[in-house]
Amino acid sequence: MAEMGHRFSFIFTLTLLHFLHFCSAKLGVSTPPPLPILPLPSFSQLKWQQREVIMFLHFGPNTFTDSEWGTGRESPTVFNPTALDAAQWAATAAAANISLMILTAKHHDGFCLWPSKYTTHSVSRSPWKNGHGDVVKEFVDAAAPRGIDVGVYLSPWDRHDRRYSHELAYNEYYLAQLQELLNNYGNVREIWFDGAKGKNAPNMSYYFSDWFAMVKELQSSINIFSDAGPDIRWVGDENGFAGTPCWSTINRSSLAIGAEGITQYLNEGDPEGTHWVPPECDVSIRNGWFWHKSESPKSLKTLLEIYYNSVGRNCVLLFNVPPNSTGLIAQEDAHTLTQFKAAIHTIFSSNLAQNCSLRASSQRGGKESAFGPENVLDNDHLWTYWAPRGADAGGDHWIEIRSQQKQGLRFNVVRIQEAIGLGQRIKRHEIYLDGKRIVEESSVGYKRLHRIKSGVVCGEVVRVRITEARAVPLISSLGLHLDPFWDPTGLS
Ligand SMILES: *[C@@H]1O[C@H](CO)[C@@H](O)[C@H](O)[C@H]1NC(C)=O
Ligand SMILES: *[C@@H]1O[C@H](CO)[C@@H](O)[C@H](O)[C@H]1NC(C)=O
Ligand SMILES: *[C@@H]1O[C@H](CO)[C@@H](O)[C@H](O)[C@H]1NC(C)=O
Ligand SMILES: *[C@@H]1O[C@H](CO)[C@@H](O)[C@H](O)[C@H]1NC(C)=O
Ligand SMILES: *[C@@H]1O[C@H](CO)[C@@H](O)[C@H](O)[C@H]1NC(C)=O
């Protein structure tokens, strides 16, 4: 499968490597994987990345007052869902193949969806279940039987509590609530620290280092989300679009929660970044974050556009599906979500490259090694991969998909995935169809999806060329797909 180079030194290296390979093959010893390039994801970050689409549930007094940012002066009596059923939320998520749901346990209005010991501004003073209800508990209990993991959102900005603006008192209050949420409801996989804060809010410091240390103490497998990580970063916008490039790596020291002027940096990341802090794209299925009678869900076309620009750009999509004032996810939202899941399935469940033959510029450890191009067609998208020979990021590294059928290949989407368990590497890549370049782009990461700008294309040979990388490129998966929903002429 290796294609011979012309330079003598190259042939010499090749011969030497074949010799070494021959020796190790004789001893029955396999070539080890290449060295990683730092920084690397943590175990929990890898699990999170593979979820791809997760769900946000904005729910609270705003659901009943038709607002987005409550003032904090709402009476707890406004919170009165007539038929709250968290099992319906979990069923909706399960039907959409979603494995993590995050609930706004407290939004900026300060109202707590659980009976906190440290305030009366909670469900304990609402008519719902005569003040004996606990939405967080119902949420957690409904998720478990569906195999769905949970996360919580606890707004730092609190417009109700009088302690807010008294730095020490408020930080103690906030830490106490973190302990309630992270001690009493089992495993929590993600916690959301929202950087949002009104312009006229009191200027007060949050003790983030205490908060984060407490979170990790109570939940070792949790991922902490904020503008600045430490585990997951905000993508820098609320329409669900990541940048191009989009690096999982970034310099944490140049980020601050709620800081201005860093949205582009958050959007694109940094190939030289010192920390692994991948972006999450938060976007709502409707216009607002909370349910409003006057709004309806976005179209399937819009949702797919969001998917390609988030999951298709190395991000996790955090999709907000807000329960209504009955306490249920509206039928039309659930329907849209199911349609969305079905569309993704239609596009990606079959890989048109599946039965093709593969060829690559070279192969680490030689022909018999575990690093052959065939790895890009198996179901493991992390730990089996094609690796070229050597440790050199430069050089003409490429991998080719060749049709074995008379009718050739017909597709409009190309999927490329890197073996990010060993670090994110690819800086620039190109795709050729029968020698003609059809894509010229930047980073890849866990998953990169390219819709071919000219629409459906046909041909025999697709070549992916890596033109610039931080280290020798490792490709874990390649796919050719046909998206019947995409009409390139309909794009603005
Ligand atoms: C469910 O989502 C996972 C990614 O989290 C994906 O690998 C799998 O194929 C999806 N299953 C279906 C039936 O859509
Ligand atoms: C807010 O307080 C911090 C110190 O806690 C100070 O550095 C900063 O300048 C203040 N900002 C405003 C807008 O007053
Ligand atoms: C991030 O940090 C690295 C290592 O210190 C540095 O080389 C790089 O220039 C930094 N990036 C930015 C945008 O400052
Ligand atoms: C909330 O959604 C459920 C499920 O579609 C529906 O039966 C109920 O009427 C909705 N409530 C409101 C206030 O729209
Ligand atoms: C690959 O081959 C299998 C077995 O012959 C067949 O069922 C499948 O449809 C083929 N897939 C593609 C994408 O051609």
Side-chain angles (χ1 to χ4, degrees):
M1 296 194 181
E3 205 177 62
M4 282 286 182
H6 300 294
R7 297 207 319 275
F8 172 74
S9 62
F10 186 65
I11 292 167
F12 177 74
T13 315
L14 207 66
T15 313
L16 183 68
L17 282 165
H18 275 149
F19 175 71
L20 289 173
H21 169 70
F22 175 74
C23 294
S24 55
K26 239 179 117 179
L27 294 168
V29 172
S30 305
T31 308
L35 287 179
I37 177 152
L38 303 184
L40 296 181
S42 70
F43 181 81
S44 297
Q45 286 172 323
L46 271 186
K47 296 293 260 191
W48 165 86
Q49 187 94 48
Q50 289 173 284
R51 295 179 193 273
E52 301 195 354
V53 182
I54 61 180
M55 197 194 275
F56 221 171
L57 295 110
H58 274 68
F59 189 52
N62 295 337
T63 309
F64 303 86
T65 59
D66 201 23
S67 45
E68 284 286 304
W69 277 10
T71 61
R73 292 187 298 272
E74 298 79 14
S75 162
T77 60
V78 303
F79 184 82
N80 192 17
T82 46
L84 186 146
D85 181 10
Q88 187 252 10
W89 309 351
T92 305
N97 189 28
I98 286 173
S99 66
L100 175 70
M101 305 193 293
I102 303 176
L103 175 68
T104 53
K106 178 182 95 168
H107 204 252
H108 311 324
D109 54 56
F111 181 83
C112 300
L113 294 185
W114 80 103
S116 173
K117 278 199 289 193
Y118 306 102
T119 181
T120 54
H121 198 57
S122 77
V123 281
S124 70
R125 289 285 169 94
S126 86
W128 178 62
K129 300 202 162 177
N130 293 318
H132 297 298
D134 181 344
V135 184
V136 176
K137 181 164 193 312
E138 296 202 9
F139 166 70
V140 168
D141 289 350
R146 294 275 183 180
I148 296 173
D149 291 323
V150 297
V152 292
Y153 168 115
L154 184 68
S155 172
W157 183 35
D158 188 321
R159 305 184 81 180
H160 174 82
D161 202 89
R162 284 168 183 276
R163 283 161 285 196
Y164 197 87
S165 81
H166 301 285
E167 194 174 295
L168 176 62
Y170 183 74
N171 276 281
E172 286 178 349
Y173 172 60
Y174 193 90
L175 269 163
Q177 295 206 315
L178 277 180
Q179 290 168 60
E180 287 188 309
L181 289 173
L182 301 181
N183 265 333
N184 303 336
Y185 297 96
N187 283 331
V188 177
R189 304 294 179 174
E190 183 166 339
I191 184 159
W192 240 77
F193 293 101
D194 192 341
K197 190 172 170 174
K199 284 203 170 59
N200 300 321
N203 181 21
M204 196 192 67
S205 296
Y206 302 137
Y207 299 169
F208 282 118
S209 18
D210 298 74
W211 297 4
F212 293 171
M214 176 65 71
V215 168
K216 292 282 180 173
E217 179 186 6
L218 300 178
Q219 297 274 344
S220 61
S221 66
I222 203 166
N223 284 309
I224 298 178
F225 170 101
S226 83
D227 290 357
D231 303 312
I232 304 170
R233 72 177 196 258
W234 183 43
V235 75
D237 64 52
E238 290 189 343
N239 53 22
F241 282 29
T244 51
C246 183
W247 291 91
S248 295
T249 50
I250 201 159
N251 288 344
R252 276 209 65 207
S253 58
S254 42
L255 304 178
I257 296 169
E260 308 260 318
I262 57 168
T263 52
Q264 191 186 345
Y265 191 56
L266 290 170
N267 207 233
E268 297 181 351
D270 186 344
E272 312 299 326
T274 48
H275 289 80
W276 189 274
V277 193
E280 185 167 282
C281 300
D282 56 321
V283 64
S284 188
I285 193 166
R286 290 160 169 243
N287 198 34
W289 292 100
F290 286 86
W291 177 82
H292 304 284
K293 203 179 182 57
S294 59
E295 291 180 356
S296 37
K298 292 169 181 167
S299 68
L300 177 64
K301 183 171 175 283
T302 304
L303 299 195
L304 288 173
E305 192 66 23
I306 291 169
Y307 180 83
Y308 278 108
N309 289 299
S310 54
V311 176
R313 289 182 179 173
N314 187 37
C315 294
V316 167
L317 170 56
L318 173 59
F319 215 13
N320 180 61
V321 187
N324 65 20
S325 56
T326 307
L328 296 168
I329 290 171
Q331 181 57 44
E332 59 268 36
D333 295 31
H335 177 69
T336 301
L337 208 56
T338 317
Q339 272 190 312
F340 173 62
K341 183 237 164 155
I344 303 286
H345 190 77
T346 302
I347 303 164
F348 296 103
S349 60
S350 112
N351 183 353
L352 302 171
Q354 199 58 56
N355 300 330
C356 293
S357 67
L358 293 161
R359 232 160 54 105
S361 49
S362 70
Q363 176 173 338
R364 178 180 179 82
K367 269 217 315 265
E368 307 300 321
S369 81
F371 306 104
E374 66 280 1
N375 289 323
V376 304
L377 294 182
D378 69 13
N379 288 324
D380 183 332
H381 296 172
L382 276 179
W383 297 107
T384 69
Y385 45 86
W386 163 65
R389 185 185 297 112
D392 190 4
D396 192 13
H397 299 300
W398 55 260
I399 178 166
E400 211 170 72
I401 298 166
R402 189 173 285 267
S403 171
Q404 297 291 84
Q405 290 166 321
K406 266 208 200 76
Q407 67 266 38
L409 296 161
R410 191 172 169 273
F411 60 95
N412 59 4
V413 175
V414 181
R415 174 175 52 82
I416 311 177
Q417 302 192 233
E418 272 188 87
I420 58 161
L422 293 165
Q424 189 179 346
R425 295 156 181 254
I426 297 170
K427 282 184 160 174
R428 291 213 67 81
H429 65 286
E430 298 172 343
I431 302 171
Y432 293 80
L433 177 62
D434 296 337
K436 179 173 170 273
R437 190 169 64 198
I438 54 172
V439 172
E440 187 185 7
E441 258 295 349
S442 53
S443 65
V444 174
Y446 174 69
K447 183 177 275 191
R448 188 74 201 262
L449 300 173
H450 296 297
R451 284 177 294 183
I452 307 305
K453 288 202 175 72
S454 55
V456 176
V457 288
C458 302
E460 302 286 324
V461 184
V462 175
R463 178 183 284 206
V464 176
R465 236 186 110 202
I466 294 90
T467 50
E468 201 184 338
R470 292 174 63 225
V472 68
L474 309 174
I475 308 245
S476 63
S477 188
L478 281 181
L480 302 177
H481 305 276
L482 196 57
D483 178 345
F485 306 93
W486 185 50
D487 166 21
T489 59
L491 285 178
S492 55

